[in-house]
PDB file of all heavy atoms in Angstrom:
ATOM      1  N   ALA A 945     -19.318-113.822  78.499  1.00 97.00           N
ATOM      2  CA  ALA A 945     -19.637-113.916  77.066  1.00 97.00           C
ATOM      3  C   ALA A 945     -20.349-112.677  76.534  1.00 97.00           C
ATOM      4  O   ALA A 945     -21.492-112.738  76.071  1.00 97.00           O
ATOM      5  CB  ALA A 945     -20.462-115.170  76.782  1.00 97.00           C
ATOM      6  N   PRO A 946     -19.670-111.530  76.566  1.00 97.00           N
ATOM      7  CA  PRO A 946     -20.281-110.305  76.024  1.00 97.00           C
ATOM      8  C   PRO A 946     -20.588-110.457  74.535  1.00 97.00           C
ATOM      9  O   PRO A 946     -19.818-111.067  73.794  1.00 97.00           O
ATOM     10  CB  PRO A 946     -19.192-109.246  76.239  1.00 97.00           C
ATOM     11  CG  PRO A 946     -18.293-109.812  77.282  1.00 97.00           C
ATOM     12  CD  PRO A 946     -18.315-111.290  77.069  1.00 97.00           C
ATOM     13  N   LYS A 947     -21.692-109.888  74.111  1.00 95.00           N
ATOM     14  CA  LYS A 947     -22.086-109.984  72.705  1.00 95.00           C
ATOM     15  C   LYS A 947     -21.687-108.700  71.987  1.00 95.00           C
ATOM     16  O   LYS A 947     -22.505-107.834  71.684  1.00 95.00           O
ATOM     17  CB  LYS A 947     -23.592-110.228  72.588  1.00 95.00           C
ATOM     18  CG  LYS A 947     -24.033-110.757  71.229  1.00 95.00           C
ATOM     19  CD  LYS A 947     -25.459-111.260  71.276  1.00 95.00           C
ATOM     20  CE  LYS A 947     -25.847-111.936  69.972  1.00 95.00           C
ATOM     21  NZ  LYS A 947     -27.216-112.521  70.048  1.00 95.00           N
ATOM     22  N   VAL A 948     -20.387-108.595  71.732  1.00 93.00           N
ATOM     23  CA  VAL A 948     -19.832-107.448  71.015  1.00 93.00           C
ATOM     24  C   VAL A 948     -18.798-107.968  70.025  1.00 93.00           C
ATOM     25  O   VAL A 948     -18.254-109.060  70.195  1.00 93.00           O
ATOM     26  CB  VAL A 948     -19.183-106.430  71.979  1.00 93.00           C
ATOM     27  CG1 VAL A 948     -20.221-105.814  72.899  1.00 93.00           C
ATOM     28  CG2 VAL A 948     -18.084-107.082  72.800  1.00 93.00           C
ATOM     29  N   ARG A 949     -18.517-107.183  69.001  1.00 91.00           N
ATOM     30  CA  ARG A 949     -17.641-107.643  67.926  1.00 91.00           C
ATOM     31  C   ARG A 949     -16.240-107.986  68.420  1.00 91.00           C
ATOM     32  O   ARG A 949     -15.648-108.978  68.006  1.00 91.00           O
ATOM     33  CB  ARG A 949     -17.568-106.573  66.832  1.00 91.00           C
ATOM     34  CG  ARG A 949     -16.782-107.005  65.601  1.00 91.00           C
ATOM     35  CD  ARG A 949     -16.863-105.956  64.514  1.00 91.00           C
ATOM     36  NE  ARG A 949     -18.245-105.740  64.096  1.00 91.00           N
ATOM     37  CZ  ARG A 949     -18.616-104.820  63.204  1.00 91.00           C
ATOM     38  NH1 ARG A 949     -17.704-104.024  62.666  1.00 91.00           N
ATOM     39  NH2 ARG A 949     -19.886-104.697  62.870  1.00 91.00           N
ATOM     40  N   THR A 950     -15.697-107.171  69.313  1.00 90.00           N
ATOM     41  CA  THR A 950     -14.339-107.434  69.793  1.00 90.00           C
ATOM     42  C   THR A 950     -14.261-108.764  70.538  1.00 90.00           C
ATOM     43  O   THR A 950     -13.278-109.494  70.426  1.00 90.00           O
ATOM     44  CB  THR A 950     -13.863-106.302  70.713  1.00 90.00           C
ATOM     45  OG1 THR A 950     -14.833-106.093  71.751  1.00 90.00           O
ATOM     46  CG2 THR A 950     -13.671-105.012  69.941  1.00 90.00           C
ATOM     47  N   ALA A 951     -15.307-109.087  71.292  1.00 94.00           N
ATOM     48  CA  ALA A 951     -15.315-110.359  72.014  1.00 94.00           C
ATOM     49  C   ALA A 951     -15.471-111.529  71.050  1.00 94.00           C
ATOM     50  O   ALA A 951     -14.862-112.589  71.244  1.00 94.00           O
ATOM     51  CB  ALA A 951     -16.439-110.371  73.049  1.00 94.00           C
ATOM     52  N   ASP A 952     -16.273-111.359  70.005  1.00 93.00           N
ATOM     53  CA  ASP A 952     -16.434-112.435  69.020  1.00 93.00           C
ATOM     54  C   ASP A 952     -15.085-112.795  68.401  1.00 93.00           C
ATOM     55  O   ASP A 952     -14.755-113.974  68.234  1.00 93.00           O
ATOM     56  CB  ASP A 952     -17.410-112.007  67.924  1.00 93.00           C
ATOM     57  CG  ASP A 952     -18.853-111.937  68.422  1.00 93.00           C
ATOM     58  OD1 ASP A 952     -19.127-112.496  69.502  1.00 93.00           O
ATOM     59  OD2 ASP A 952     -19.687-111.325  67.734  1.00 93.00           O
ATOM     60  N   LYS A 953     -14.307-111.780  68.058  1.00 94.00           N
ATOM     61  CA  LYS A 953     -12.978-112.015  67.483  1.00 94.00           C
ATOM     62  C   LYS A 953     -12.073-112.707  68.506  1.00 94.00           C
ATOM     63  O   LYS A 953     -11.305-113.613  68.171  1.00 94.00           O
ATOM     64  CB  LYS A 953     -12.366-110.688  67.044  1.00 94.00           C
ATOM     65  CG  LYS A 953     -11.032-110.805  66.318  1.00 94.00           C
ATOM     66  CD  LYS A 953     -10.584-109.439  65.813  1.00 94.00           C
ATOM     67  CE  LYS A 953      -9.303-109.544  64.996  1.00 94.00           C
ATOM     68  NZ  LYS A 953      -8.155-109.993  65.782  1.00 94.00           N
ATOM     69  N   PHE A 954     -12.175-112.286  69.751  1.00 97.00           N
ATOM     70  CA  PHE A 954     -11.389-112.884  70.828  1.00 97.00           C
ATOM     71  C   PHE A 954     -11.668-114.378  70.928  1.00 97.00           C
ATOM     72  O   PHE A 954     -10.745-115.199  71.002  1.00 97.00           O
ATOM     73  CB  PHE A 954     -11.739-112.186  72.143  1.00 97.00           C
ATOM     74  CG  PHE A 954     -11.023-112.717  73.358  1.00 97.00           C
ATOM     75  CD1 PHE A 954      -9.902-112.079  73.858  1.00 97.00           C
ATOM     76  CD2 PHE A 954     -11.486-113.851  74.020  1.00 97.00           C
ATOM     77  CE1 PHE A 954      -9.244-112.557  74.987  1.00 97.00           C
ATOM     78  CE2 PHE A 954     -10.836-114.338  75.144  1.00 97.00           C
ATOM     79  CZ  PHE A 954      -9.715-113.690  75.628  1.00 97.00           C
ATOM     80  N   PHE A 955     -12.939-114.748  70.926  1.00 97.00           N
ATOM     81  CA  PHE A 955     -13.299-116.156  71.102  1.00 97.00           C
ATOM     82  C   PHE A 955     -12.850-117.023  69.925  1.00 97.00           C
ATOM     83  O   PHE A 955     -12.526-118.198  70.107  1.00 97.00           O
ATOM     84  CB  PHE A 955     -14.802-116.291  71.338  1.00 97.00           C
ATOM     85  CG  PHE A 955     -15.244-115.828  72.698  1.00 97.00           C
ATOM     86  CD1 PHE A 955     -16.147-114.788  72.833  1.00 97.00           C
ATOM     87  CD2 PHE A 955     -14.741-116.420  73.847  1.00 97.00           C
ATOM     88  CE1 PHE A 955     -16.551-114.353  74.089  1.00 97.00           C
ATOM     89  CE2 PHE A 955     -15.133-115.997  75.104  1.00 97.00           C
ATOM     90  CZ  PHE A 955     -16.043-114.948  75.230  1.00 97.00           C
ATOM     91  N   GLU A 956     -12.823-116.448  68.729  1.00 96.00           N
ATOM     92  CA  GLU A 956     -12.326-117.215  67.587  1.00 96.00           C
ATOM     93  C   GLU A 956     -10.827-117.486  67.735  1.00 96.00           C
ATOM     94  O   GLU A 956     -10.354-118.598  67.491  1.00 96.00           O
ATOM     95  CB  GLU A 956     -12.608-116.461  66.285  1.00 96.00           C
ATOM     96  CG  GLU A 956     -14.086-116.403  65.918  1.00 96.00           C
ATOM     97  CD  GLU A 956     -14.722-117.787  65.872  1.00 96.00           C
ATOM     98  OE1 GLU A 956     -14.146-118.698  65.239  1.00 96.00           O
ATOM     99  OE2 GLU A 956     -15.792-117.968  66.493  1.00 96.00           O
ATOM    100  N   GLU A 957     -10.082-116.481  68.149  1.00 97.00           N
ATOM    101  CA  GLU A 957      -8.643-116.668  68.353  1.00 97.00           C
ATOM    102  C   GLU A 957      -8.363-117.604  69.522  1.00 97.00           C
ATOM    103  O   GLU A 957      -7.358-118.324  69.534  1.00 97.00           O
ATOM    104  CB  GLU A 957      -7.963-115.316  68.594  1.00 97.00           C
ATOM    105  CG  GLU A 957      -7.885-114.434  67.362  1.00 97.00           C
ATOM    106  CD  GLU A 957      -7.005-113.216  67.590  1.00 97.00           C
ATOM    107  OE1 GLU A 957      -5.925-113.367  68.197  1.00 97.00           O
ATOM    108  OE2 GLU A 957      -7.412-112.115  67.178  1.00 97.00           O
ATOM    109  N   LEU A 958      -9.264-117.607  70.491  1.00 97.00           N
ATOM    110  CA  LEU A 958      -9.073-118.448  71.667  1.00 97.00           C
ATOM    111  C   LEU A 958      -9.032-119.929  71.285  1.00 97.00           C
ATOM    112  O   LEU A 958      -8.252-120.705  71.850  1.00 97.00           O
ATOM    113  CB  LEU A 958     -10.198-118.195  72.672  1.00 97.00           C
ATOM    114  CG  LEU A 958      -9.984-118.732  74.090  1.00 97.00           C
ATOM    115  CD1 LEU A 958      -8.807-118.027  74.758  1.00 97.00           C
ATOM    116  CD2 LEU A 958     -11.250-118.537  74.924  1.00 97.00           C
ATOM    117  N   ILE A 959      -9.853-120.320  70.333  1.00 96.00           N
ATOM    118  CA  ILE A 959      -9.841-121.716  69.876  1.00 96.00           C
ATOM    119  C   ILE A 959      -8.479-122.066  69.278  1.00 96.00           C
ATOM    120  O   ILE A 959      -7.919-123.137  69.544  1.00 96.00           O
ATOM    121  CB  ILE A 959     -10.964-121.958  68.847  1.00 96.00           C
ATOM    122  CG1 ILE A 959     -12.338-121.813  69.515  1.00 96.00           C
ATOM    123  CG2 ILE A 959     -10.827-123.349  68.220  1.00 96.00           C
ATOM    124  CD1 ILE A 959     -13.512-121.954  68.561  1.00 96.00           C
ATOM    125  N   GLU A 960      -7.929-121.163  68.482  1.00 96.00           N
ATOM    126  CA  GLU A 960      -6.622-121.407  67.862  1.00 96.00           C
ATOM    127  C   GLU A 960      -5.530-121.545  68.927  1.00 96.00           C
ATOM    128  O   GLU A 960      -4.660-122.420  68.836  1.00 96.00           O
ATOM    129  CB  GLU A 960      -6.284-120.259  66.911  1.00 96.00           C
ATOM    130  CG  GLU A 960      -7.258-120.105  65.748  1.00 96.00           C
ATOM    131  CD  GLU A 960      -6.967-118.873  64.915  1.00 96.00           C
ATOM    132  OE1 GLU A 960      -5.907-118.239  65.143  1.00 96.00           O
ATOM    133  OE2 GLU A 960      -7.784-118.530  64.048  1.00 96.00           O
ATOM    134  N   ILE A 961      -5.577-120.682  69.934  1.00 97.00           N
ATOM    135  CA  ILE A 961      -4.574-120.732  71.000  1.00 97.00           C
ATOM    136  C   ILE A 961      -4.706-122.015  71.804  1.00 97.00           C
ATOM    137  O   ILE A 961      -3.709-122.668  72.145  1.00 97.00           O
ATOM    138  CB  ILE A 961      -4.713-119.489  71.907  1.00 97.00           C
ATOM    139  CG1 ILE A 961      -4.235-118.250  71.150  1.00 97.00           C
ATOM    140  CG2 ILE A 961      -3.933-119.665  73.214  1.00 97.00           C
ATOM    141  CD1 ILE A 961      -4.482-116.951  71.878  1.00 97.00           C
ATOM    142  N   LYS A 962      -5.924-122.392  72.111  1.00 96.00           N
ATOM    143  CA  LYS A 962      -6.144-123.641  72.861  1.00 96.00           C
ATOM    144  C   LYS A 962      -5.585-124.828  72.101  1.00 96.00           C
ATOM    145  O   LYS A 962      -4.872-125.673  72.668  1.00 96.00           O
ATOM    146  CB  LYS A 962      -7.640-123.819  73.128  1.00 96.00           C
ATOM    147  CG  LYS A 962      -7.997-125.003  74.020  1.00 96.00           C
ATOM    148  CD  LYS A 962      -8.327-126.265  73.247  1.00 96.00           C
ATOM    149  CE  LYS A 962      -9.568-126.101  72.399  1.00 96.00           C
ATOM    150  NZ  LYS A 962      -9.931-127.377  71.712  1.00 96.00           N
ATOM    151  N   ASP A 963      -5.875-124.902  70.812  1.00 94.00           N
ATOM    152  CA  ASP A 963      -5.416-126.042  70.014  1.00 94.00           C
ATOM    153  C   ASP A 963      -3.896-126.069  69.873  1.00 94.00           C
ATOM    154  O   ASP A 963      -3.286-127.144  69.852  1.00 94.00           O
ATOM    155  CB  ASP A 963      -6.061-126.002  68.625  1.00 94.00           C
ATOM    156  CG  ASP A 963      -7.543-126.356  68.662  1.00 94.00           C
ATOM    157  OD1 ASP A 963      -7.986-126.940  69.670  1.00 94.00           O
ATOM    158  OD2 ASP A 963      -8.252-126.044  67.688  1.00 94.00           O
ATOM    159  N   ARG A 964      -3.282-124.901  69.790  1.00 94.00           N
ATOM    160  CA  ARG A 964      -1.836-124.850  69.565  1.00 94.00           C
ATOM    161  C   ARG A 964      -1.021-125.033  70.841  1.00 94.00           C
ATOM    162  O   ARG A 964      -0.005-125.734  70.842  1.00 94.00           O
ATOM    163  CB  ARG A 964      -1.459-123.521  68.915  1.00 94.00           C
ATOM    164  CG  ARG A 964       0.036-123.395  68.635  1.00 94.00           C
ATOM    165  CD  ARG A 964       0.356-122.148  67.852  1.00 94.00           C
ATOM    166  NE  ARG A 964       1.789-122.043  67.592  1.00 94.00           N
ATOM    167  CZ  ARG A 964       2.355-121.043  66.927  1.00 94.00           C
ATOM    168  NH1 ARG A 964       1.601-120.076  66.426  1.00 94.00           N
ATOM    169  NH2 ARG A 964       3.666-121.010  66.749  1.00 94.00           N
ATOM    170  N   TYR A 965      -1.475-124.413  71.938  1.00 95.00           N
ATOM    171  CA  TYR A 965      -0.651-124.390  73.148  1.00 95.00           C
ATOM    172  C   TYR A 965      -1.196-125.222  74.311  1.00 95.00           C
ATOM    173  O   TYR A 965      -0.429-125.609  75.197  1.00 95.00           O
ATOM    174  CB  TYR A 965      -0.483-122.948  73.646  1.00 95.00           C
ATOM    175  CG  TYR A 965       0.194-122.026  72.664  1.00 95.00           C
ATOM    176  CD1 TYR A 965      -0.554-121.131  71.899  1.00 95.00           C
ATOM    177  CD2 TYR A 965       1.575-122.038  72.505  1.00 95.00           C
ATOM    178  CE1 TYR A 965       0.063-120.267  71.002  1.00 95.00           C
ATOM    179  CE2 TYR A 965       2.201-121.178  71.610  1.00 95.00           C
ATOM    180  CZ  TYR A 965       1.436-120.294  70.857  1.00 95.00           C
ATOM    181  OH  TYR A 965       2.048-119.445  69.969  1.00 95.00           O
ATOM    182  N   TYR A 966      -2.500-125.464  74.339  1.00 95.00           N
ATOM    183  CA  TYR A 966      -3.097-126.080  75.529  1.00 95.00           C
ATOM    184  C   TYR A 966      -4.067-127.203  75.162  1.00 95.00           C
ATOM    185  O   TYR A 966      -5.167-127.299  75.709  1.00 95.00           O
ATOM    186  CB  TYR A 966      -3.824-125.015  76.362  1.00 95.00           C
ATOM    187  CG  TYR A 966      -2.956-123.835  76.721  1.00 95.00           C
ATOM    188  CD1 TYR A 966      -3.048-122.635  76.019  1.00 95.00           C
ATOM    189  CD2 TYR A 966      -2.023-123.922  77.754  1.00 95.00           C
ATOM    190  CE1 TYR A 966      -2.240-121.553  76.341  1.00 95.00           C
ATOM    191  CE2 TYR A 966      -1.215-122.847  78.086  1.00 95.00           C
ATOM    192  CZ  TYR A 966      -1.328-121.663  77.367  1.00 95.00           C
ATOM    193  OH  TYR A 966      -0.523-120.593  77.689  1.00 95.00           O
ATOM    194  N   SER A 967      -3.655-128.050  74.264  1.00 90.00           N
ATOM    195  CA  SER A 967      -4.507-129.169  73.856  1.00 90.00           C
ATOM    196  C   SER A 967      -4.472-130.271  74.913  1.00 90.00           C
ATOM    197  O   SER A 967      -3.837-130.136  75.956  1.00 90.00           O
ATOM    198  CB  SER A 967      -4.044-129.713  72.507  1.00 90.00           C
ATOM    199  OG  SER A 967      -2.704-130.173  72.598  1.00 90.00           O
TER     200      SER A 967
END
Side-chain angles (χ1 to χ4, degrees):
K947 198 167 187 176
V948 295
R949 185 175 299 176
T950 53
D952 289 344
K953 185 175 184 295
F954 179 99
F955 287 119
E956 290 306 311
E957 289 190 43
L958 194 65
I959 294 177
E960 298 174 9
I961 289 173
K962 186 266 296 184
D963 288 343
R964 181 173 180 180
Y965 299 101
Y966 306 101
S967 60

